[in-house]
Amino acid sequence: MIANDRRIRVALLGHGTVGAEVARLLDEQAGELAARVGAPLELAGIAVRRPDKHPDLPRHLVTADAAGLVDSDVDVVVELIGGIEPVRGWLLSALQKGKSVVTANKALLAEHSAELAEAADAAGADLYFEAAVAGAIPLLRPLRESLAGDRITRVMGIVNGTTNYILSAMDATGAGYAETLDEASRLGYAEADPTADVDGYDAASKAAILASLAFHTRVTAADVHREGIAGVSASDIVAAKVLGRTVKLLAICERVTDADGGESVSARVHPVMIPRGHQLAGVNGAFNAVYVEADAAGELMFYGQGAGGAPTASAVLGDLVAVARNRVLGGRGPRESAHAALPIRSMGQTPTRYHISLDVADRAGVLAQVAQVFAVHDVSIAAVRQRDRHSTASLVIVTHSAPDAALRATVDEISRLDVVHEVVSVMRVEGED
Ligand code: NDP
Ligand code: HSE
């Protein structure tokens, strides 16, 4: 039952893939949402870039003046435009005036969460962003609230639907890269500029958000080592298949403890080979899945639709209900904490494992020469497999864990050996210790 005539006035910025679904659900579920919040949610306006492209929207609601809408008499700003500027200024201004903000904008949060969180704290306003990572999957709230009493050691998973859609198709059908990307864009998974997906920027932003929450440390996108899938070739996919593995783009955030007990945070995004029996190997299409490891909880897995209008709108509406309830009850939700302020470990120092596939001369002493390079860089070999061709041999080497810089230096030196005709594929390996 609604106790008084209070209404929560909502400004919706953006009416694209996600914004249109939020507007639809706000309208269709108005009665239910009002009951859950304890007050009706009233759409005060919808800001778009080109109002004439939205003839079906009520004219009195549509505006191209997003700044004016944010400044008007609204309680909550829901931002579904994307990008950094001018959105950063609008949201900062809303928070400074005590308005709550709900956003799905990972690019903005991964760079400016500190100043946005400070503005929210100063004004006692809410800043919620569940939809920014892994679409529909409730992941940020469990990290921030449910696991607040535990010590998280690792967060690893598939957090970009577009690249997962492309890699799944390449693996299943050998489909071409460009045609699959077009399909992902058509389905509304890809960012406005799909290079943000393909080059790993989107996943790196999400890794920064995940690492910040998991390790109570401010991590920005610039702190995340980033490699996209543009370099993943058909040969890599075939090399993975031959070994019973598949290729995925993973975000891996770890709390690393040194020999002297000092802790640091490592955050990285890059393609990896994982065994086909690994649970992440079965995550296909635009689905996302994230493993969380914590001292007391052990292993947790979160799985669901990571992109698309309706799934993402579900997370946005969850946040909207939460911040609206807080306003009705007169409080604010839990803040994120960055109190641990752990140092960031560079990629070069981060321990990883490599799969290296080489075409080498097929004669005595070649294996010894190659093995010597590994020894020089103190990289231990876990497995070697050789297949003979005519005058060449195909050599597949999987290493034990070593600092990434040592592994890179090893590959670099091997590629310069006369006996090595071609470095066919180099990829990091996860999920098999
Ligand atoms: P779209 O490109 O589909 O929609 C963007 C909307 O913003 C459009 O309605 C556009 O107006 C409007 N817009 C752009 N610039 C301005 C401006 N200067 N002033 C007012 N309105 C403007 O984006 P998505 O819905 O896909 O994504 C929105 C946000 O959600 C992004 O931050 C994205 O990263 C995030 N996100 C997206 C997911 C997805 O699966 N698509 C999943 C999770 C998060 P017009 O329609 O007139 O062009
Ligand atoms: N472009 C993003 C993806 C949308 O493909 O995962 C969801 O954040």
Side-chain angles (χ1 to χ4, degrees), residues 91-101 112-129 144 213 218 327 331-339:
L91 299 192
L92 211 48
S93 156
L95 290 166
Q96 284 160 349
K97 291 178 182 132
K99 300 172 186 188
S100 303
V101 166
H112 296 284
S113 69
E115 86 176 316
L116 292 169
E118 276 162 26
D121 285 350
D126 277 328
L127 171 63
Y128 275 45
F129 45 91
R144 181 159 53 184
L213 290 176
R218 191 71 64 196
R327 292 188 88 85
R332 64 183 298 231
R335 287 170 285 171
E336 62 189 87
S337 79
H339 69 90

Side-chain angles (χ1 to χ4, degrees), residues 186-236:
R186 197 186 61 74
L187 291 166
Y189 306 148
E191 295 302 301
D193 173 3
T195 57
D197 298 293
V198 172
D199 292 341
Y201 290 98
D202 178 78
S205 294
K206 291 166 176 169
I209 295 168
L210 290 171
S212 298
L213 290 176
F215 307 127
H216 305 278
T217 292
R218 191 71 64 196
V219 180
T220 68
D223 296 321
V224 181
H225 173 84
R226 176 192 54 79
E227 292 170 37
I229 63 163
V232 177
S233 63
S235 321
D236 292 321

Side-chain angles (χ1 to χ4, degrees), residues 41-97:
L41 297 173
E42 181 182 307
L43 196 51
I46 304 174
V48 293
R49 188 175 32 188
R50 302 158 298 178
D52 51 315
K53 297 272 177 197
H54 301 270
D56 297 341
L57 290 177
R59 287 298 92 189
H60 69 282
L61 288 181
V62 184
T63 176
D65 179 13
L69 178 59
V70 168
D71 240 10
S72 69
D73 176 25
V74 295
D75 302 287
V76 183
V77 174
V78 177
E79 186 271 308
L80 299 167
I81 290 178
I84 310 270
E85 297 294 355
V87 169
R88 184 192 68 92
W90 297 336
L91 299 192
L92 211 48
S93 156
L95 290 166
Q96 284 160 349
K97 291 178 182 132

